Amino acid sequence: MATLCHMQLTPVRIGMVGLGRMGANMVRRLQRAGHECVAYDVSEAAVAALEAEGVQGARTPHELVAALPAPRHIWLMVPAAYVASTIAVFEPLLSPGDTITDGGNSWYRDDIDRAAPLAAKGISYVDVGTSGGVFGLERGYCLMVGGPADAVQQLAPVFDALAPGVAAAPRSPGRVGEPTNEETGWLHCGPSGAGHFVKMVHNGIEYGMMAAYAEGLNVLAKAGIGSERHAEDAETAPLSNPEYYQYDIDLAAVTELWRRGSVVTSWLLDLTAQALHADPALEAYEGRVSDSGEGRWTIHAAIDEGVPVPTLAASLFDRFSSRDRGDVAHKVLSAMRAGFGGHHEVKP
């Protein structure tokens, strides 16, 4: 049964740990909504920058905790690799009734493992998968929340302020009455780890969507191959019908076109159109695509569940290939071809 949104006006005082690309903007959005933030980061410059905007800064974890009333709320926006060590610093400073929230991209299994020992000390642990990136300050953040219901309830005003709000998208047909939490942009997905589990799959889908755009645009980009000169040797497959590939497709124009009325419209397409307009040949990029873990974890979960995800798996493996992680395999292929058929590598 859907939970109705809260839209509480009661201000919350919250400590934000990690003032990077998203953490700092989340502080700004919360402050604009009437909440009070105490900001901490290992970078003195990051703290000072927010202090210059009127935000209360803290120079040490002790100072941050001391500036918060009980029950205290600490929100972590740090890389997944630093969540455990950050919790280890703050946990001894907290008291029963306090809450630690991880708003980064941690593996949901880590959430489950962290929540139990904290709960034994009376400290709640909330995991929040956060989507919105660097545009979240103005657009808001889609929040996927996991953890105990009472802690989530206390943080509801914070989620309401960070989320985009019901006006961010037209209401789905059949939804009437008071908007539910999910319609405003945040959802309590379940117990510990559920928020990051949903965000994990969200990012796995994102990998697949990005790969589909990238592969399709690559096909368009090579549509003029019939007008190019081709090597004529035993190692190169000939192009049978070059007359069918005589197009010079303007990718910037096509992506701009697709943004209007096409069934493949999305924010990802919007960003792609912007990038191609600014840099049609994408000369600013080398094409080495990183992965921060969520795609791998999604495939892991799919294997455990016995669920087929060929598109998501292929998109992850393509990212590995973009970083030349298939170099040995490709050399082995060349070696085998040379061995059984005397085939030589054709240099570009």
Side-chain angles (χ1 to χ4, degrees):
M1 182 176 179
T3 303
L4 294 182
C5 65
H6 301 272
M7 297 304 292
Q8 298 178 17
L9 299 177
T10 304
V12 174
R13 187 168 173 83
I14 188 169
M16 182 67 71
V17 178
L19 308 176
R21 290 174 296 180
M22 292 181 68
N25 278 345
M26 293 174 80
V27 168
R28 294 182 178 104
R29 188 170 174 90
L30 287 170
Q31 294 271 134
R32 289 180 184 179
H35 299 294
E36 297 178 349
C37 295
V38 183
Y40 169 75
D41 194 286
V42 293
S43 167
E44 163 70 23
V47 177
L50 282 178
E51 285 181 324
E53 299 178 28
V55 177
Q56 181 177 347
R59 295 302 187 279
T60 67
H62 289 79
E63 186 178 343
L64 176 74
V65 172
L68 299 174
R72 303 175 186 87
H73 298 291
I74 306 290
W75 187 301
L76 310 183
M77 285 302 293
V78 300
Y82 297 99
V83 172
S85 59
T86 304
I87 291 175
V89 169
F90 279 93
E91 181 269 321
L93 307 177
L94 300 179
S95 305
D98 294 346
T99 299
I100 295 177
T101 298
D102 176 13
N105 277 329
S106 293
W107 193 19
Y108 78 97
R109 293 190 176 191
D110 291 335
D111 295 322
I112 296 172
D113 294 340
R114 290 165 183 157
L118 288 170
K121 299 178 180 180
I123 301 171
S124 297
Y125 180 85
V126 175
D127 53 282
V128 180
T130 307
S131 182
V134 296
F135 295 94
L137 175 59
E138 301 301 334
R139 293 170 58 104
Y141 302 89
C142 178
L143 305 173
M144 294 144 268
V145 183
D150 55 346
V152 172
Q153 176 67 27
Q154 290 181 31
L155 287 165
V158 172
F159 301 145
D160 286 335
L162 290 174
V166 70
R171 299 191 75 181
S172 297
R175 285 188 175 267
V176 296
E178 184 73 14
T180 55
N181 286 335
E182 60 268 28
E183 290 184 277
T184 68
W186 73 272
L187 177 67
H188 185 196
C189 300
S192 295
H196 278 147
F197 190 91
V198 174
K199 178 57 161 52
M200 173 188 78
V201 177
H202 165 283
N203 282 25
I205 293 170
E206 180 183 287
Y207 281 28
M209 292 175 64
M210 294 172 71
Y213 282 127
E215 291 175 11
L217 291 172
N218 203 25
V219 173
L220 292 179
K222 301 299 188 291
I225 192 172
S227 60
E228 299 175 5
R229 184 179 180 83
H230 300 277
E232 297 180 357
D233 53 53
E235 304 302 325
T236 305
L239 181 62
S240 301
N241 299 99
E243 66 274 18
Y244 295 147
Y245 300 96
Q246 299 287 327
Y247 303 118
D248 182 12
I249 306 294
D250 185 336
L251 299 187
V254 168
T255 51
E256 190 64 34
L257 168 71
W258 285 351
R259 294 180 60 228
R260 293 165 170 81
S262 165
V263 297
V264 299
T265 54
S266 74
W267 188 32
L268 291 173
L269 181 62
D270 293 344
L271 297 174
T272 303
Q274 293 171 26
L276 286 167
H277 178 70
D279 183 4
L282 299 179
E283 294 178 348
Y285 306 94
E286 295 182 5
R288 296 177 65 84
V289 188
S290 300
D291 71 286
S292 55
E294 299 87 357
R296 303 184 189 208
W297 304 332
T298 300
I299 305 308
H300 190 162
I303 291 171
D304 285 348
E305 296 174 1
V307 175
V309 288
T311 301
L312 307 189
S315 68
L316 174 65
F317 295 148
D318 182 64
R319 293 191 179 203
F320 296 163
S321 294
S322 79
R323 304 198 297 271
D324 299 325
R325 300 300 294 172
D327 56 338
V328 174
H330 296 151
K331 290 178 180 180
V332 169
L333 289 173
S334 287
M336 288 190 288
R337 292 188 80 247
F340 68 67
H343 300 285
H344 301 292
E345 292 184 335
V346 177
K347 304 301 180 182

mmCIF file of all heavy atoms in Angstrom, residues 233-266:
data_model
loop_
_atom_site.group_PDB
_atom_site.id
_atom_site.type_symbol
_atom_site.label_atom_id
_atom_site.label_comp_id
_atom_site.label_asym_id
_atom_site.label_seq_id
_atom_site.Cartn_x
_atom_site.Cartn_y
_atom_site.Cartn_z
ATOM 1 N N ASP A 233 42.828 -7.062 -49.218
ATOM 2 C CA ASP A 233 43.772 -8.137 -48.901
ATOM 3 C C ASP A 233 43.010 -9.287 -48.275
ATOM 4 O O ASP A 233 41.800 -9.207 -48.023
ATOM 5 C CB ASP A 233 44.876 -7.627 -47.957
ATOM 6 C CG ASP A 233 44.337 -6.962 -46.706
ATOM 7 O OD1 ASP A 233 43.502 -7.595 -46.015
ATOM 8 O OD2 ASP A 233 44.730 -5.821 -46.407
ATOM 9 N N ALA A 234 43.732 -10.363 -47.995
ATOM 10 C CA ALA A 234 43.098 -11.591 -47.490
ATOM 11 C C ALA A 234 42.601 -11.451 -46.067
ATOM 12 O O ALA A 234 41.809 -12.286 -45.604
ATOM 13 C CB ALA A 234 44.086 -12.760 -47.578
ATOM 14 N N GLU A 235 43.032 -10.433 -45.355
ATOM 15 C CA GLU A 235 42.666 -10.276 -43.951
ATOM 16 C C GLU A 235 41.500 -9.322 -43.742
ATOM 17 O O GLU A 235 41.055 -9.129 -42.620
ATOM 18 C CB GLU A 235 43.874 -9.762 -43.156
ATOM 19 C CG GLU A 235 45.115 -10.625 -43.271
ATOM 20 C CD GLU A 235 44.867 -12.056 -42.824
ATOM 21 O OE1 GLU A 235 44.079 -12.260 -41.877
ATOM 22 O OE2 GLU A 235 45.444 -12.972 -43.429
ATOM 23 N N THR A 236 41.008 -8.685 -44.787
ATOM 24 C CA THR A 236 39.966 -7.678 -44.651
ATOM 25 C C THR A 236 38.703 -8.088 -45.391
ATOM 26 O O THR A 236 38.742 -8.318 -46.608
ATOM 27 C CB THR A 236 40.450 -6.314 -45.203
ATOM 28 O OG1 THR A 236 41.668 -5.949 -44.551
ATOM 29 C CG2 THR A 236 39.395 -5.240 -44.966
ATOM 30 N N ALA A 237 37.614 -8.223 -44.667
ATOM 31 C CA ALA A 237 36.339 -8.557 -45.294
ATOM 32 C C ALA A 237 35.884 -7.386 -46.162
ATOM 33 O O ALA A 237 35.853 -6.243 -45.691
ATOM 34 C CB ALA A 237 35.289 -8.869 -44.241
ATOM 35 N N PRO A 238 35.538 -7.643 -47.409
ATOM 36 C CA PRO A 238 35.116 -6.550 -48.283
ATOM 37 C C PRO A 238 33.714 -6.058 -47.930
ATOM 38 O O PRO A 238 32.909 -6.793 -47.369
ATOM 39 C CB PRO A 238 35.125 -7.198 -49.677
ATOM 40 C CG PRO A 238 34.832 -8.652 -49.404
ATOM 41 C CD PRO A 238 35.531 -8.950 -48.099
ATOM 42 N N LEU A 239 33.444 -4.802 -48.267
ATOM 43 C CA LEU A 239 32.106 -4.248 -48.101
ATOM 44 C C LEU A 239 31.326 -4.566 -49.370
ATOM 45 O O LEU A 239 31.644 -4.058 -50.452
ATOM 46 C CB LEU A 239 32.179 -2.736 -47.878
ATOM 47 C CG LEU A 239 30.847 -2.015 -47.666
ATOM 48 C CD1 LEU A 239 30.148 -2.530 -46.405
ATOM 49 C CD2 LEU A 239 31.080 -0.508 -47.555
ATOM 50 N N SER A 240 30.333 -5.410 -49.236
ATOM 51 C CA SER A 240 29.645 -5.940 -50.415
ATOM 52 C C SER A 240 28.907 -4.873 -51.212
ATOM 53 O O SER A 240 28.936 -4.878 -52.447
ATOM 54 C CB SER A 240 28.654 -7.037 -49.987
ATOM 55 O OG SER A 240 29.326 -8.089 -49.329
ATOM 56 N N ASN A 241 28.233 -3.989 -50.544
ATOM 57 C CA ASN A 241 27.406 -2.997 -51.231
ATOM 58 C C ASN A 241 27.699 -1.591 -50.720
ATOM 59 O O ASN A 241 26.918 -1.006 -49.974
ATOM 60 C CB ASN A 241 25.921 -3.316 -51.041
ATOM 61 C CG ASN A 241 25.542 -4.675 -51.604
ATOM 62 O OD1 ASN A 241 25.434 -5.659 -50.862
ATOM 63 N ND2 ASN A 241 25.356 -4.727 -52.917
ATOM 64 N N PRO A 242 28.811 -1.035 -51.152
ATOM 65 C CA PRO A 242 29.175 0.303 -50.659
ATOM 66 C C PRO A 242 28.150 1.373 -51.009
ATOM 67 O O PRO A 242 28.062 2.388 -50.320
ATOM 68 C CB PRO A 242 30.519 0.572 -51.346
ATOM 69 C CG PRO A 242 30.560 -0.343 -52.512
ATOM 70 C CD PRO A 242 29.814 -1.561 -52.089
ATOM 71 N N GLU A 243 27.350 1.139 -52.048
ATOM 72 C CA GLU A 243 26.363 2.146 -52.440
ATOM 73 C C GLU A 243 25.282 2.348 -51.379
ATOM 74 O O GLU A 243 24.575 3.364 -51.387
ATOM 75 C CB GLU A 243 25.715 1.769 -53.772
ATOM 76 C CG GLU A 243 24.852 0.524 -53.767
ATOM 77 C CD GLU A 243 25.619 -0.763 -53.997
ATOM 78 O OE1 GLU A 243 26.876 -0.751 -53.832
ATOM 79 O OE2 GLU A 243 24.985 -1.782 -54.346
ATOM 80 N N TYR A 244 25.147 1.388 -50.475
ATOM 81 C CA TYR A 244 24.133 1.507 -49.434
ATOM 82 C C TYR A 244 24.635 2.270 -48.198
ATOM 83 O O TYR A 244 23.892 2.463 -47.238
ATOM 84 C CB TYR A 244 23.659 0.129 -48.989
ATOM 85 C CG TYR A 244 22.929 -0.641 -50.071
ATOM 86 C CD1 TYR A 244 23.031 -2.029 -50.143
ATOM 87 C CD2 TYR A 244 22.141 0.010 -51.019
ATOM 88 C CE1 TYR A 244 22.360 -2.742 -51.136
ATOM 89 C CE2 TYR A 244 21.478 -0.697 -52.007
ATOM 90 C CZ TYR A 244 21.588 -2.061 -52.056
ATOM 91 O OH TYR A 244 20.924 -2.774 -53.038
ATOM 92 N N TYR A 245 25.897 2.665 -48.215
ATOM 93 C CA TYR A 245 26.482 3.336 -47.063
ATOM 94 C C TYR A 245 27.225 4.597 -47.512
ATOM 95 O O TYR A 245 28.451 4.680 -47.473
ATOM 96 C CB TYR A 245 27.430 2.385 -46.311
ATOM 97 C CG TYR A 245 26.710 1.157 -45.814
ATOM 98 C CD1 TYR A 245 26.727 -0.027 -46.564
ATOM 99 C CD2 TYR A 245 25.975 1.174 -44.635
ATOM 100 C CE1 TYR A 245 26.037 -1.147 -46.133
ATOM 101 C CE2 TYR A 245 25.290 0.065 -44.198
ATOM 102 C CZ TYR A 245 25.319 -1.098 -44.948
ATOM 103 O OH TYR A 245 24.632 -2.211 -44.525
ATOM 104 N N GLN A 246 26.423 5.557 -47.959
ATOM 105 C CA GLN A 246 26.970 6.794 -48.509
ATOM 106 C C GLN A 246 26.458 8.021 -47.738
ATOM 107 O O GLN A 246 26.381 9.112 -48.287
ATOM 108 C CB GLN A 246 26.577 6.919 -49.989
ATOM 109 C CG GLN A 246 27.080 5.800 -50.885
ATOM 110 C CD GLN A 246 28.574 5.900 -51.135
ATOM 111 O OE1 GLN A 246 29.135 6.980 -51.194
ATOM 112 N NE2 GLN A 246 29.224 4.743 -51.295
ATOM 113 N N TYR A 247 26.143 7.832 -46.455
ATOM 114 C CA TYR A 247 25.526 8.905 -45.686
ATOM 115 C C TYR A 247 26.527 9.610 -44.774
ATOM 116 O O TYR A 247 27.390 8.978 -44.164
ATOM 117 C CB TYR A 247 24.383 8.356 -44.830
ATOM 118 C CG TYR A 247 23.322 7.639 -45.623
ATOM 119 C CD1 TYR A 247 23.059 6.296 -45.401
ATOM 120 C CD2 TYR A 247 22.588 8.313 -46.590
ATOM 121 C CE1 TYR A 247 22.083 5.636 -46.117
ATOM 122 C CE2 TYR A 247 21.609 7.658 -47.321
ATOM 123 C CZ TYR A 247 21.366 6.320 -47.085
ATOM 124 O OH TYR A 247 20.406 5.674 -47.805
ATOM 125 N N ASP A 248 26.374 10.901 -44.670
ATOM 126 C CA ASP A 248 27.132 11.708 -43.715
ATOM 127 C C ASP A 248 26.124 12.267 -42.712
ATOM 128 O O ASP A 248 25.547 13.333 -42.898
ATOM 129 C CB ASP A 248 27.861 12.844 -44.440
ATOM 130 C CG ASP A 248 28.704 13.690 -43.492
ATOM 131 O OD1 ASP A 248 28.897 13.257 -42.335
ATOM 132 O OD2 ASP A 248 29.143 14.787 -43.900
ATOM 133 N N ILE A 249 25.897 11.504 -41.660
ATOM 134 C CA ILE A 249 24.858 11.824 -40.687
ATOM 135 C C ILE A 249 25.375 12.812 -39.654
ATOM 136 O O ILE A 249 26.455 12.627 -39.073
ATOM 137 C CB ILE A 249 24.361 10.548 -39.976
ATOM 138 C CG1 ILE A 249 23.906 9.493 -40.989
ATOM 139 C CG2 ILE A 249 23.246 10.886 -38.995
ATOM 140 C CD1 ILE A 249 22.698 9.881 -41.781
ATOM 141 N N ASP A 250 24.626 13.853 -39.421
ATOM 142 C CA ASP A 250 24.960 14.853 -38.415
ATOM 143 C C ASP A 250 24.407 14.372 -37.068
ATOM 144 O O ASP A 250 23.204 14.498 -36.787
ATOM 145 C CB ASP A 250 24.347 16.201 -38.811
ATOM 146 C CG ASP A 250 24.735 17.339 -37.877
ATOM 147 O OD1 ASP A 250 25.085 17.066 -36.711
ATOM 148 O OD2 ASP A 250 24.655 18.501 -38.313
ATOM 149 N N LEU A 251 25.279 13.841 -36.232
ATOM 150 C CA LEU A 251 24.826 13.261 -34.966
ATOM 151 C C LEU A 251 24.231 14.311 -34.039
ATOM 152 O O LEU A 251 23.255 14.038 -33.333
ATOM 153 C CB LEU A 251 25.983 12.555 -34.254
ATOM 154 C CG LEU A 251 26.644 11.385 -34.995
ATOM 155 C CD1 LEU A 251 27.653 10.694 -34.079
ATOM 156 C CD2 LEU A 251 25.610 10.394 -35.489
ATOM 157 N N ALA A 252 24.800 15.506 -34.029
ATOM 158 C CA ALA A 252 24.254 16.564 -33.180
ATOM 159 C C ALA A 252 22.837 16.905 -33.595
ATOM 160 O O ALA A 252 21.948 17.099 -32.750
ATOM 161 C CB ALA A 252 25.146 17.802 -33.247
ATOM 162 N N ALA A 253 22.592 16.958 -34.900
ATOM 163 C CA ALA A 253 21.254 17.286 -35.392
ATOM 164 C C ALA A 253 20.273 16.157 -35.102
ATOM 165 O O ALA A 253 19.120 16.393 -34.727
ATOM 166 C CB ALA A 253 21.304 17.572 -36.893
ATOM 167 N N VAL A 254 20.721 14.913 -35.267
ATOM 168 C CA VAL A 254 19.834 13.771 -35.035
ATOM 169 C C VAL A 254 19.426 13.681 -33.574
ATOM 170 O O VAL A 254 18.250 13.478 -33.239
ATOM 171 C CB VAL A 254 20.510 12.458 -35.487
ATOM 172 C CG1 VAL A 254 19.724 11.247 -34.980
ATOM 173 C CG2 VAL A 254 20.620 12.413 -37.000
ATOM 174 N N THR A 255 20.395 13.826 -32.669
ATOM 175 C CA THR A 255 20.048 13.736 -31.248
ATOM 176 C C THR A 255 19.140 14.884 -30.835
ATOM 177 O O THR A 255 18.252 14.715 -29.989
ATOM 178 C CB THR A 255 21.311 13.710 -30.370
ATOM 179 O OG1 THR A 255 22.172 14.807 -30.721
ATOM 180 C CG2 THR A 255 22.066 12.401 -30.557
ATOM 181 N N GLU A 256 19.339 16.059 -31.429
ATOM 182 C CA GLU A 256 18.439 17.180 -31.139
ATOM 183 C C GLU A 256 17.044 16.878 -31.672
ATOM 184 O O GLU A 256 16.031 17.184 -31.030
ATOM 185 C CB GLU A 256 18.987 18.462 -31.764
ATOM 186 C CG GLU A 256 18.268 19.725 -31.332
ATOM 187 C CD GLU A 256 18.407 20.010 -29.848
ATOM 188 O OE1 GLU A 256 19.471 19.698 -29.260
ATOM 189 O OE2 GLU A 256 17.440 20.544 -29.258
ATOM 190 N N LEU A 257 16.981 16.263 -32.842
ATOM 191 C CA LEU A 257 15.700 15.870 -33.423
ATOM 192 C C LEU A 257 14.973 14.870 -32.524
ATOM 193 O O LEU A 257 13.775 15.021 -32.236
ATOM 194 C CB LEU A 257 15.931 15.249 -34.802
ATOM 195 C CG LEU A 257 14.751 14.517 -35.439
ATOM 196 C CD1 LEU A 257 13.678 15.516 -35.862
ATOM 197 C CD2 LEU A 257 15.219 13.675 -36.622
ATOM 198 N N TRP A 258 15.681 13.856 -32.080
ATOM 199 C CA TRP A 258 15.072 12.794 -31.279
ATOM 200 C C TRP A 258 14.509 13.302 -29.957
ATOM 201 O O TRP A 258 13.665 12.646 -29.351
ATOM 202 C CB TRP A 258 16.094 11.694 -31.003
ATOM 203 C CG TRP A 258 16.374 10.817 -32.194
ATOM 204 C CD1 TRP A 258 15.712 10.797 -33.392
ATOM 205 C CD2 TRP A 258 17.409 9.836 -32.283
ATOM 206 N NE1 TRP A 258 16.270 9.868 -34.218
ATOM 207 C CE2 TRP A 258 17.307 9.247 -33.568
ATOM 208 C CE3 TRP A 258 18.418 9.389 -31.425
ATOM 209 C CZ2 TRP A 258 18.169 8.245 -33.999
ATOM 210 C CZ3 TRP A 258 19.281 8.388 -31.847
ATOM 211 C CH2 TRP A 258 19.152 7.822 -33.116
ATOM 212 N N ARG A 259 14.987 14.433 -29.481
ATOM 213 C CA ARG A 259 14.481 14.989 -28.226
ATOM 214 C C ARG A 259 13.034 15.456 -28.358
ATOM 215 O O ARG A 259 12.383 15.724 -27.350
ATOM 216 C CB ARG A 259 15.346 16.166 -27.779
ATOM 217 C CG ARG A 259 16.773 15.803 -27.396
ATOM 218 C CD ARG A 259 17.562 17.039 -26.958
ATOM 219 N NE ARG A 259 16.913 17.652 -25.809
ATOM 220 C CZ ARG A 259 16.660 18.952 -25.704
ATOM 221 N NH1 ARG A 259 16.967 19.777 -26.687
ATOM 222 N NH2 ARG A 259 16.073 19.427 -24.622
ATOM 223 N N ARG A 260 12.537 15.535 -29.583
ATOM 224 C CA ARG A 260 11.217 16.112 -29.823
ATOM 225 C C ARG A 260 10.269 15.078 -30.427
ATOM 226 O O ARG A 260 10.295 14.826 -31.626
ATOM 227 C CB ARG A 260 11.348 17.333 -30.739
ATOM 228 C CG ARG A 260 12.083 18.474 -30.079
ATOM 229 C CD ARG A 260 12.531 19.541 -31.053
ATOM 230 N NE ARG A 260 13.018 20.712 -30.326
ATOM 231 C CZ ARG A 260 14.248 20.794 -29.812
ATOM 232 N NH1 ARG A 260 15.094 19.786 -29.937
ATOM 233 N NH2 ARG A 260 14.624 21.883 -29.155
ATOM 234 N N GLY A 261 9.438 14.493 -29.584
ATOM 235 C CA GLY A 261 8.408 13.584 -30.058
ATOM 236 C C GLY A 261 8.829 12.142 -30.218
ATOM 237 O O GLY A 261 7.984 11.279 -30.453
ATOM 238 N N SER A 262 10.125 11.845 -30.072
ATOM 239 C CA SER A 262 10.592 10.471 -30.248
ATOM 240 C C SER A 262 10.311 9.626 -29.005
ATOM 241 O O SER A 262 10.283 10.143 -27.888
ATOM 242 C CB SER A 262 12.095 10.476 -30.534
ATOM 243 O OG SER A 262 12.642 9.184 -30.384
ATOM 244 N N VAL A 263 10.144 8.321 -29.210
ATOM 245 C CA VAL A 263 9.920 7.432 -28.066
ATOM 246 C C VAL A 263 11.208 7.173 -27.292
ATOM 247 O O VAL A 263 11.167 6.572 -26.213
ATOM 248 C CB VAL A 263 9.310 6.081 -28.517
ATOM 249 C CG1 VAL A 263 7.950 6.287 -29.136
ATOM 250 C CG2 VAL A 263 10.242 5.344 -29.465
ATOM 251 N N VAL A 264 12.361 7.612 -27.795
ATOM 252 C CA VAL A 264 13.611 7.390 -27.069
ATOM 253 C C VAL A 264 14.075 8.645 -26.331
ATOM 254 O O VAL A 264 15.223 8.733 -25.914
ATOM 255 C CB VAL A 264 14.736 6.881 -28.004
ATOM 256 C CG1 VAL A 264 14.349 5.556 -28.622
ATOM 257 C CG2 VAL A 264 15.091 7.907 -29.070
ATOM 258 N N THR A 265 13.187 9.608 -26.168
ATOM 259 C CA THR A 265 13.558 10.807 -25.416
ATOM 260 C C THR A 265 13.884 10.451 -23.962
ATOM 261 O O THR A 265 13.281 9.551 -23.376
ATOM 262 C CB THR A 265 12.420 11.842 -25.421
ATOM 263 O OG1 THR A 265 11.223 11.215 -24.938
ATOM 264 C CG2 THR A 265 12.180 12.388 -26.800
ATOM 265 N N SER A 266 14.846 11.157 -23.400
ATOM 266 C CA SER A 266 15.226 10.975 -21.999
ATOM 267 C C SER A 266 16.208 12.070 -21.629
ATOM 268 O O SER A 266 16.734 12.785 -22.493
ATOM 269 C CB SER A 266 15.882 9.609 -21.766
ATOM 270 O OG SER A 266 17.197 9.589 -22.298
#
